[in-house]
Amino acid sequence: MATDSRITQGDMIVSDKRTKVHRLRDGSLVAWAGAVQDAELLLRAMRKTSHAPHPKLQDISALHLRIDGSLWEYEGEAWVKQDPGYYATGSGSPYAFAAMDAGASAKEAVRIAIKRDANSGGRVQSLKLKDT
């Protein structure tokens, strides 16, 4: 799972150093895009338990890669299971999807999104599921 590290407010870059991909206690991974406050609330809830209901947050999208390999997307109301393969979310997702369609890895796709999307930037961050 790979992300950029940029935080923006409108057209202003707030930071290029935010961690957006996290490993939870159960070994699963979660990454987010959107409002930092909503991300913090979601992460707090997921650190308590990754499979329980989470707060309804309107200004965030997140991906949860569970240890069984299933991928779930959060869009403010509920977690929705996605088809196997690859997925992208956030403002750079159209560029990341196109890159992965052409064979790019997740990290390469984020690099391409950073190059083309004005709201993506900073460094590429990535985590892999640990072998169980």
Side-chain angles (χ1 to χ4, degrees), residues 83-99:
D83 292 331
Y86 53 85
Y87 203 80
T89 192
S91 65
S93 64
Y95 306 102
F97 268 120

Side-chain angles (χ1 to χ4, degrees), residues 23 26-29 65-69 127-132:
R23 186 177 313 278
D26 67 358
S28 67
L29 305 176
L65 181 58
R66 295 184 180 172
I67 57 173
D68 66 3
L127 291 174
K128 290 184 178 185
L129 285 178
K130 292 181 179 177
D131 293 331
T132 55

Side-chain angles (χ1 to χ4, degrees), residues 94-115:
Y95 306 102
F97 268 120
M100 290 185 289
D101 285 344
S105 69
K107 288 165 97 174
E108 292 166 335
V110 172
R111 281 189 196 97
I112 290 167
I114 286 171
K115 183 176 180 180

Side-chain angles (χ1 to χ4, degrees), residues 37-103:
Q37 179 179 349
D38 282 359
E40 290 298 325
L41 291 171
L42 183 63
L43 286 169
R44 275 189 218 143
M46 292 187 77
R47 285 180 175 131
K48 289 180 184 175
T49 176
S50 62
H51 291 7
H54 296 111
K56 291 183 179 182
L57 305 166
Q58 298 301 316
D59 295 321
I60 187 174
S61 62
L63 297 176
H64 184 202
L65 181 58
R66 295 184 180 172
I67 57 173
D68 66 3
S70 65
L71 183 66
W72 297 75
E73 181 182 25
Y74 182 79
E75 283 287 350
E77 292 289 330
W79 289 99
V80 177
K81 187 174 183 181
Q82 297 300 325
D83 292 331
Y86 53 85
Y87 203 80
T89 192
S91 65
S93 64
Y95 306 102
F97 268 120
M100 290 185 289
D101 285 344

